[in-house]
Amino acid sequence: MTTLLHIDSSVFRGETSSSRSVTAAFRRIWEEQHPGGTVIYRDLAAGPVPHITADAWSAGYAAPSERTREQSAAFAARVKLIEELERADTVLIGAPMYNFSIPSTLKAWLDSVLLLGRTAGEAPSAQGTPVVVVASRGGSYAPGAPRAGFEFVQNYLEAVLEHTLGLDLDFIVPELTMAPRNPAMAELVPLYEASRERAFEEATAKAKELAERLAA
């Protein structure tokens, strides 16, 4: 039985969120391809995980017999998140850009699941697991764009997800999502619409591709 770990972090709900719309499209195709599969869903806006604490951090480097009660409780919460990642055959993450970076709720999740000697290090426990990140943004930060140097979402997630956790990373990037709501961006609406359509096409194609890979 295949397992999808689906994480959303947008503060906006439903179709008002570009990242949620695209992750939902990916998930629909994935579920069609895996009718008997399992979906682990975490909505980090509705149910944020705790930000990392000294107890949760230090417990990862202490022997179980040496942990305080507070450390044990905090570490148990981290282990639950880590085990969800390790169980997954595919990981799907909605990561909108807020103030040039990822939502703090997503950063909190990453801080919990990144554990040296288990999920990170010489042999990461989820190494090779496909992860698809829908990195939506209100403007454009593509190479050559005026604000290309302000792109701290893909660079950061590549460092953490691919180079640290060892996941097999792909990005889907719906951009210019503020164009329909910002009169100053009105001339960019056709580019936004094209980007949105492309994102849905990529989500559909990637979900099918991963289904075929898992079935092989």
Side-chain angles (χ1 to χ4, degrees), residues 83-95:
E83 288 177 343
E84 290 177 352
L85 173 63
E86 292 171 338
R87 283 176 53 197
D89 297 290
T90 302
V91 181
L92 172 66
I93 300 175

Side-chain angles (χ1 to χ4, degrees), residues 112-187:
S112 284
V113 300
L114 201 161
L115 180 61
L116 188 63
R118 181 164 177 173
T119 60
E122 293 185 4
S125 56
Q127 187 169 19
T129 302
V131 56
V132 177
V133 175
V134 179
S136 59
R137 59 276 315 275
S140 177
Y141 300 81
R147 288 193 169 188
F150 289 70
E151 209 303 315
F152 303 113
V153 172
Q154 288 178 262
N155 292 342
Y156 170 72
L157 291 177
E158 183 178 336
V160 175
L161 297 174
E162 183 173 18
H163 297 299
T164 305
L165 296 177
L167 307 182
D168 182 7
L169 174 62
D170 276 297
F171 283 108
I172 298 174
V173 185
E175 61 178 9
L176 301 168
T177 62
M178 287 297 296
R181 296 187 288 276
N182 185 347
M185 298 175 68
E187 64 181 17

Side-chain angles (χ1 to χ4, degrees), residues 1-2 6 22 43 45 61 67 72-74 78 90 96 108 132 150 153 170 185 191:
M1 180 179 295
T2 54
H6 176 187
V22 177
D43 184 337
Y61 301 96
R67 292 173 188 153
S72 296
R78 289 186 69 186
T90 302
V132 177
F150 289 70
V153 172
D170 276 297
M185 298 175 68
L191 293 177

Side-chain angles (χ1 to χ4, degrees), residues 34-58:
H34 302 281
T38 298
V39 176
I40 302 170
Y41 181 57
R42 283 198 173 269
D43 184 337
L44 298 179
V49 302
H51 283 82
I52 201 77
T53 63
D55 286 329
W57 186 272
S58 60

Side-chain angles (χ1 to χ4, degrees), residues 20-108:
R20 287 180 185 271
S21 297
V22 177
T23 60
F26 180 102
R27 177 171 167 174
R28 280 195 297 272
I29 299 299
W30 191 93
E31 289 180 318
E32 288 174 3
Q33 301 294 318
H34 302 281
T38 298
V39 176
I40 302 170
Y41 181 57
R42 283 198 173 269
D43 184 337
L44 298 179
V49 302
H51 283 82
I52 201 77
T53 63
D55 286 329
W57 186 272
S58 60
Y61 301 96
S65 61
E66 297 175 352
R67 292 173 188 153
T68 65
R69 182 172 57 185
E70 292 76 15
Q71 284 179 317
S72 296
F75 191 66
R78 289 186 69 186
V79 168
K80 181 178 181 180
L81 299 174
I82 288 170
E83 288 177 343
E84 290 177 352
L85 173 63
E86 292 171 338
R87 283 176 53 197
D89 297 290
T90 302
V91 181
L92 172 66
I93 300 175
M97 178 186 282
Y98 293 159
N99 299 317
F100 312 117
S101 188
I102 62 173
S104 65
T105 52
L106 181 55
K107 177 63 164 59

